Amino acid sequence: MGKKWFAACLSDLVNLSVRMPSRESYEVRKAEKSLVHKVKQEPNQQDILAAALGMRIPGPQKPPATIWQPLKLFAYSQLTSLVRKATLKDNSLPPKYEKVHNFKVHTFRGPHWCGSCANFMWGLTNQGVKCADCGLNVHKQCATMVPNSCVPDLKHVRKVYSCELTTLVKAHDTNRPMVVDMCIREIESRGLKSEGLYRISGFSDSVEDVKAAFDRDGEKTDISAIAYEDINIITGALKLYLRDLPVPVISYDAYPRFIEAAKLEDAEKRLEAFREALDLLPAAHSDTLKYLMAHLKRVTLNEKDNLMNAENLGIVFGPTLMRAPNLDAMTALNDIRYQRQVVEFLIKNEDTLF
């Protein structure tokens, strides 16, 4: 009796195991049921877009294709605008140096969206403005609201000389223009004792060659003694770079404060006025001026050999580092002596002011 009962139970278990699905089969069936349920519950693409556009489509009716295609394009443009706005907010990190965008009226080919408001730029010609330095596209009315966060792209900045100072250093991710760094290093390595340093001009054609080399090759430019034996060519190239800046090292906004500081007689008030004037300079201009004044101070330490003191260097670099902003000829002429005094004072007090 016991053996028969055991055999019957064993047979039932075998039959049950055959009918029961495996764990893998159970998971597959469960996933299929979930997918079918999801498809039944979720609205299709047309329902989603219709809801987004505020349309009500009763029952199974759908708009004809002639209406549906433009609706899809419009909805896509709206979604793109939202994505662009989110991207703009995420990428709004403060730059190292603030730089104003160099916007110019531009005619865009193909569809373009504003980099400020993220809306479509309508029109066939002159739809908006484009930054010549970083390539940012915005509406004309949005240009005034864009923050000073231009990050120049090297494909837009194609020259070194005559390029705005902050634009150049941001494009190359440096603290100072490469021309200033490279020329000063070369001058200090072999020219500090050269008589008449910065006062004697180099051969103009050779100076132009250095300029063309920097515009063409950038930091790969060779200005060693092998390429240019006369150190005055290198000093001439440096002075030409500083003169060609669209905005001088001592910027137009800070110019009046420097001239006023130079006119003060009281030593303490004069020093404080210069500190306040220096605070008005853009960061890239301030770093460049600091580096240049430290170099000129080292030039004066070799005065016995090069015969160049702070006063002589002030005469050379005064009109080079600062220019009168929109002043009449007589006022600009009268400012020349104060320009010399500004540079002379900066050199003599380099260790205190910077």
Side-chain angles (χ1 to χ4, degrees):
M1 182 66 182
K3 292 182 178 180
K4 291 182 179 180
W5 177 82
F6 179 77
C9 289
L10 183 62
S11 176
D12 291 340
L13 287 173
V14 170
N15 293 333
L16 183 61
S17 65
V18 171
R19 291 195 301 270
M20 288 183 65
S22 64
R23 180 175 181 83
E24 290 79 5
S25 175
Y26 172 77
E27 294 293 340
V28 170
R29 290 187 180 183
K30 183 178 179 182
E32 289 176 350
K33 288 182 179 179
S34 176
L35 182 60
V36 171
H37 181 74
K38 185 177 181 181
V39 170
K40 290 181 178 179
Q41 292 294 324
E42 288 186 352
N44 59 27
Q45 183 186 32
Q46 293 185 0
D47 292 334
I48 295 173
L49 290 180
L53 295 173
M55 295 176 58
R56 185 178 180 182
I57 305 176
Q61 296 179 359
K62 304 297 178 186
T66 54
I67 299 177
W68 184 244
Q69 190 63 24
L71 288 177
K72 286 202 297 184
L73 292 175
F74 177 72
Y76 173 77
S77 68
Q78 295 301 307
L79 292 173
T80 305
S81 296
L82 292 174
V83 172
R84 286 175 175 270
K85 286 181 179 179
T87 304
L88 290 172
K89 290 180 180 179
D90 291 340
N91 293 338
S92 58
L93 297 176
K96 184 177 180 181
Y97 292 152
E98 280 196 354
K99 182 193 175 309
V100 179
H101 289 276
N102 183 17
F103 285 125
K104 295 181 179 179
V105 177
H106 191 78
T107 297
F108 299 98
R109 295 182 178 180
H112 281 77
W113 284 263
C114 177
S116 177
C117 68
N119 289 322
F120 188 76
M121 302 176 74
W122 298 97
L124 299 176
T125 60
N126 300 336
Q127 303 98 319
V129 292
K130 180 176 182 177
C131 179
D133 297 330
C134 69
L136 177 66
N137 308 322
V138 297
H139 291 113
K140 295 176 184 178
Q141 62 270 24
C142 293
T144 57
M145 298 180 287
V146 176
N148 300 336
S149 57
C150 178
V151 181
D153 192 330
L154 285 176
K155 68 181 181 182
H156 298 291
V157 181
R158 299 177 181 177
K159 60 182 180 179
V160 174
Y161 278 69
S162 301
C163 178
E164 200 271 326
L165 197 154
T166 303
T167 300
L168 188 66
V169 298
K170 291 197 72 171
H172 291 272
D173 194 22
T174 57
N175 291 326
R176 294 173 299 276
M178 67 182 74
V179 179
V180 176
D181 276 355
M182 292 175 63
C183 287
I184 286 179
R185 283 200 302 266
E186 190 65 26
I187 293 165
E188 294 194 351
S189 67
R190 60 185 175 99
L192 282 179
K193 297 183 183 296
S194 178
E195 183 176 338
L197 188 67
Y198 286 113
R199 179 176 56 81
I200 299 176
S201 300
F203 189 50
S204 60
D205 287 348
S206 298
V207 172
E208 289 294 330
D209 286 343
V210 176
K211 173 184 176 180
F214 270 114
D215 284 337
R216 182 182 63 252
D217 303 325
E219 58 187 10
K220 296 180 180 179
T221 303
D222 182 12
I223 55 173
S224 64
I226 299 175
Y228 303 98
E229 183 179 359
D230 185 5
I231 196 63
N232 296 313
I233 295 174
I234 309 304
T235 60
L238 176 59
K239 289 187 294 183
L240 178 61
Y241 170 77
L242 297 173
R243 285 198 303 269
D244 281 356
L245 286 173
V247 178
V249 175
I250 295 179
S251 61
Y252 293 124
D253 292 338
Y255 179 91
R257 297 293 292 273
F258 277 95
I259 296 298
E260 292 172 7
K263 294 178 180 179
L264 296 176
E265 299 293 337
D266 185 80
E268 292 185 4
K269 290 183 179 180
R270 196 182 202 197
L271 188 64
E272 184 60 29
F274 268 95
R275 285 199 180 100
E276 293 175 357
L278 287 169
D279 289 338
L280 299 177
L281 293 177
H285 289 242
S286 180
D287 284 350
T288 302
L289 185 62
K290 176 182 178 179
Y291 188 72
L292 185 60
M293 291 302 108
H295 163 65
L296 296 181
K297 185 66 174 287
R298 290 190 288 272
V299 172
T300 62
L301 297 178
N302 293 273
E303 181 186 351
K304 291 183 179 180
D305 298 304
N306 58 39
L307 306 180
M308 295 297 291
N309 56 26
E311 182 179 357
N312 294 335
L313 291 171
I315 294 172
V316 173
F317 280 94
T320 302
L321 295 177
M322 54 194 308
R323 298 191 293 272
N326 302 322
L327 297 180
D328 59 88
M330 186 59 64
T331 304
L333 188 63
N334 292 333
D335 281 354
I336 290 179
R337 66 183 179 124
Y338 295 114
Q339 293 173 357
R340 171 187 63 79
Q341 292 177 17
V342 167
V343 176
E344 180 181 352
F345 188 85
L346 291 174
I347 295 173
K348 289 181 176 179
N349 297 274
E350 175 267 335
D351 53 345
T352 305
L353 290 171
F354 296 100

